[in-house]
Amino acid sequence: MKALVLGGGSMKGAFQVGAIQSVLESGFEPDMIYGISVGALNATFLVNEAERQRTDSGKVNWQLVSRRLLEFWIKNITHPQDISTLRSRVMLGVNTLMSRFDGLLDPSPLHNLIRQNVKDELLEKSLIKLKVGAVNIESGEMKYVSPSDGHFLDYVRASSSIPMLMPAVEIEDDFYLDGGLREVIPIRPALADGATEVVLIGCHSPHLYQPEGINARNLITLIERIRDITVNEVANSNIIWAESFAERANLRGTPMKLTVIRPTSPPVLDLQHFTSDDISRLIVEGYKAGIEVLRKKVVV
């Protein structure tokens, strides 16, 4: 079973989009796609597009699927307001005092994009196994769900909801947030479901980006920086675990193929001030990184 595993990374998910294109162009055809945070968004779009093609023509052109994902990002994600808007300071203060805090940012633009471009009925009948992960705020547990579990797109929204910056998503009387709080790379559920060939695409390099002159008194900047520090460490741990698992499996005589694509140096993108050029730049960086890793695999 071939699995495409997509890690979290907020708007650094543009890097992931480029890497996905390189992988699907190489002939890799996933049976399973798993995602967390922005990886959940990309995974859901991929499965939706693949099933749309299968419904229309009876077959899936994975190269075209990857191009559709790239076109979606280029067309729809050009500046921060395409994803979220800053809440009114007055309403933010009132809601906080009334214990109704729902994040510094309103993610309605992102949620609208999901509704407009993804259909529940396509996801539910897809032959491609799809899972996304979100964290239950009360129990602290990670929950992975498939389209057949119900409320799937709510979990996708929750998985992509950045803690403190965006509101928790209520699902059946429980509240959920970004799966990256517990796992940034959803490799464990893919392996538990029987994956034997995995392409893992992360959005974080082994080393943390060190910004110059960071304004630690800007609340959004501070939250995003704290998140970067934490997420980078979790991502590294997830990938180290995956590589160790694959090595042990092969030593035991259980063939396991793992390909890891991630930035070699930290992707740079300002969540509050990015442009379409920044998104395009990261897509190109991801494509080049994917081509380089896949080329080395062929040589070996």
Side-chain angles (χ1 to χ4, degrees):
M1 296 283 284
K2 296 181 179 181
L4 182 61
V5 175
L6 306 177
S10 187
M11 298 315 302
K12 298 180 183 69
F15 173 94
Q16 190 175 83
V17 170
I20 289 170
Q21 186 176 20
S22 70
V23 169
L24 298 184
E25 283 183 354
S26 75
F28 185 81
E29 297 186 353
D31 304 296
M32 322 149 75
I33 306 182
Y34 295 71
I36 279 179
S37 190
V38 71
L41 295 171
N42 285 335
T44 300
F45 185 95
L46 289 170
V47 172
N48 183 87
E49 175 61 23
E51 181 57 28
R52 187 192 64 76
Q53 289 186 21
R54 190 182 73 84
T55 299
D56 290 346
S57 65
K59 60 182 179 180
V60 177
N61 180 335
W62 282 104
Q63 292 188 35
L64 180 58
V65 170
S66 70
R67 288 199 296 273
R68 291 286 184 263
L69 176 62
L70 186 151
E71 290 167 1
F72 170 79
W73 274 73
I74 293 295
K75 177 182 177 181
N76 295 290
I77 304 177
T78 61
H79 50 76
Q81 290 72 32
D82 289 331
I83 300 301
S84 61
T85 55
L86 187 64
R87 295 191 188 277
S88 160
R89 292 182 180 181
V90 173
M91 290 306 301
L92 181 62
V94 170
N95 287 339
T96 301
L97 290 173
M98 298 294 291
S99 297
R100 297 195 304 244
F101 177 74
D102 56 357
L104 300 174
L105 304 176
D106 178 1
S108 295
L110 174 60
H111 294 176
N112 289 335
L113 281 176
I114 296 172
R115 280 191 291 268
Q116 292 165 7
N117 291 276
V118 177
K119 304 302 178 185
D120 279 306
E121 57 270 24
L122 290 177
L123 299 175
E124 289 172 3
K125 68 178 183 178
S126 174
L127 301 180
I128 308 300
K129 189 176 186 66
L130 170 64
K131 281 189 177 181
V132 303
V135 170
N136 184 309
I137 295 303
E138 182 175 352
S139 69
E141 296 177 345
M142 172 70 79
K143 183 172 183 176
Y144 285 100
V145 298
S146 297
S148 60
D149 294 324
H151 302 284
F152 181 76
L153 291 182
D154 288 332
Y155 284 104
V156 173
R157 286 188 280 270
S159 185
S160 58
S161 191
I162 302 173
M164 299 301 292
L165 292 183
M166 296 178 179
V169 176
E170 184 176 5
I171 307 172
E172 295 186 315
D173 298 324
D174 287 319
F175 287 87
Y176 291 86
L177 273 173
D178 189 351
L181 286 168
R182 292 298 300 264
E183 287 187 305
V184 178
I185 311 287
I187 182 67
R188 297 174 194 266
L191 297 176
D193 288 344
T196 55
E197 182 175 350
V198 177
V199 174
L200 183 162
I201 304 178
C203 300
H204 296 84
S205 76
H207 307 291
L208 187 66
Y209 167 59
Q210 299 183 23
E212 295 182 3
I214 184 172
N215 182 5
R217 294 184 179 276
N218 180 300
L219 185 56
I220 294 179
T221 299
L222 181 60
I223 292 173
E224 184 66 10
R225 182 56 179 169
I226 291 172
R227 183 173 179 274
D228 271 347
I229 293 170
T230 304
V231 167
N232 189 263
E233 180 64 23
V234 175
N236 286 342
S237 297
N238 291 158
I239 291 174
I240 290 170
W241 182 90
E243 291 172 336
S244 177
F245 182 97
E247 183 178 355
R248 293 195 306 271
N250 286 310
L251 287 174
R252 291 194 302 265
T254 305
M256 166 79 190
K257 184 178 180 181
L258 174 66
T259 300
V260 177
I261 301 173
R262 65 189 306 200
T264 55
S265 58
V268 179
L269 186 131
D270 187 337
L271 183 65
Q272 300 177 69
H273 302 102
F274 67 84
T275 67
S276 57
D277 288 341
D278 293 319
I279 295 298
S280 297
R281 170 178 53 80
L282 286 188
I283 290 175
V284 171
E285 289 178 10
Y287 184 79
K288 289 180 177 178
I291 291 295
E292 181 67 16
V293 169
L294 296 173
R295 183 188 64 79
K296 289 179 179 178
K297 286 281 184 178
V298 171
V299 171
V300 173

